[in-house]
Amino acid sequence: MRTYGQYCPIARGAEIFAERWTPLIIRNLHLGCDTFGGILEGAPGLSHTLLAQRLKQLERLGIVESVPKPQGRGHRYQLTDSGHDLFGVCETLGAWGARWLEIAPENLDPYLALWSMCNALRPERLPEQRVVIRFDFTGFRPHERYWLLLEHGETEICKTYPGLDEDLYITAEAEAFVKWHAGRLSWAEAVRDSRIRLDGPPWLIRAFPTWNARSMFAHIKPAYDRALPNRGGGPQRTAGTLNAG
């Protein structure tokens, strides 16, 4: 690991926190992803090899610990007290990003928004019976289709047809779905403009937006009125981009 060679706590903390993928690993562990595969699922682009390296490093530093699974082989990963404190840094960074950084086209990954949505569902509001929801995403990326399975308060995202009857069909522009989840677009706006369309039983259509499946930063109002200096004579633009979390 490269170091700044300074005693300053900011420098020493940044040597750990600013490693690529480390904040997302900490975030995923906080959200309850306690297996190797679960952590990977919420970090598209992270390789198996690099995740293994990062987890070993975080264990060595006392930020993450692994414990044997109660049943079967393998280990579960969890944050230590130090790791939970470090997630507080993730929260502060996320709040800053939600306030000051726009969501650019390259950040519009509907799968990640769907994965994040599943971690924000309120189990007490979910239907008691099994529900299968098909999502069709259009827009910036090629057409993407996923299935969300809800049963007994548990959720599962399938990238291939699960062989079960579909109860609700949701067709959404990737941009609209991501920005709704991130709190940049209200459900009423998205549905009114047909950017998100639902087809299925009326009770399920009414219930879906009440499951409170938005980002933990959706309540933060962006400060995009603070524009960069207009040096080129064209339209002013606001600063920065950040993946929705």
Side-chain angles (χ1 to χ4, degrees), residues 12-163:
R12 290 186 286 121
E15 289 169 359
I16 299 168
F17 186 77
E19 284 272 13
R20 182 167 170 78
W21 294 108
T22 293
L24 301 191
I25 294 169
I26 299 297
R27 178 200 66 187
N28 291 1
L29 286 165
H30 173 81
L31 290 174
C33 303
D34 60 358
T35 65
F36 194 91
I39 297 169
L40 275 177
E41 187 177 5
L46 174 58
S47 70
H48 287 71
T49 301
L50 186 55
L51 175 57
Q53 292 174 354
R54 288 288 185 270
L55 286 172
K56 287 181 180 178
Q57 178 189 30
L58 293 171
E59 283 189 76
R60 187 173 65 252
L61 293 166
I63 296 169
V64 171
E65 62 183 357
S66 62
V67 296
K69 290 182 178 179
Q71 297 178 343
R73 295 186 297 177
H75 290 78
R76 293 172 50 252
Y77 296 94
Q78 58 191 29
L79 296 174
T80 62
D81 289 344
S82 171
H84 286 295
D85 264 4
L86 189 57
F87 177 72
V89 180
C90 293
E91 283 188 297
T92 300
L93 180 62
W96 177 84
R99 179 165 174 77
W100 293 106
L101 303 181
E102 292 184 277
I103 300 173
E106 59 268 25
N107 303 141
L108 299 172
D109 184 344
Y111 172 80
L112 188 57
L114 182 59
W115 175 87
S116 182
M117 185 195 83
C118 289
N119 286 284
L121 292 172
R122 297 183 61 175
E124 71 277 8
R125 296 190 179 184
L126 299 180
E128 294 184 3
Q129 71 269 36
R130 182 177 66 196
V131 172
V132 180
I133 304 174
R134 192 181 84 187
F135 288 85
D136 287 283
F137 293 109
T138 63
F140 286 95
R141 295 167 176 263
H143 179 273
E144 296 184 20
R145 175 175 291 173
Y146 304 102
W147 288 263
L148 175 60
L149 276 59
L150 305 173
E151 190 168 16
H152 305 306
E154 300 291 329
T155 64
E156 181 183 355
I157 301 173
C158 299
K159 296 182 179 180
T160 58
Y161 177 56

Side-chain angles (χ1 to χ4, degrees), residues 220-237:
I220 297 176
K221 184 178 180 181
Y224 295 157
D225 55 342
R226 190 173 194 177
L228 290 172
N230 189 12
R231 297 191 180 98
Q236 288 190 335
R237 299 181 60 187

Side-chain angles (χ1 to χ4, degrees), residues 166-229:
E166 297 156 336
D167 303 292
L168 181 65
Y169 302 87
I170 297 180
T171 304
E173 296 176 12
E175 180 182 18
F177 189 79
V178 170
K179 289 189 174 180
W180 165 70
H181 175 70
R184 300 296 171 261
L185 186 69
S186 73
W187 183 257
E189 290 171 331
V191 173
R192 183 183 64 234
D193 297 337
S194 296
R195 300 184 68 188
I196 298 178
R197 301 185 300 277
L198 291 81
D199 182 26
W203 73 268
L204 199 49
I205 292 175
R206 291 191 300 269
F208 179 81
T210 71
W211 295 343
N212 196 29
R214 305 182 88 185
S215 164
M216 68 177 75
F217 304 109
H219 65 285
I220 297 176
K221 184 178 180 181
Y224 295 157
D225 55 342
R226 190 173 194 177
L228 290 172

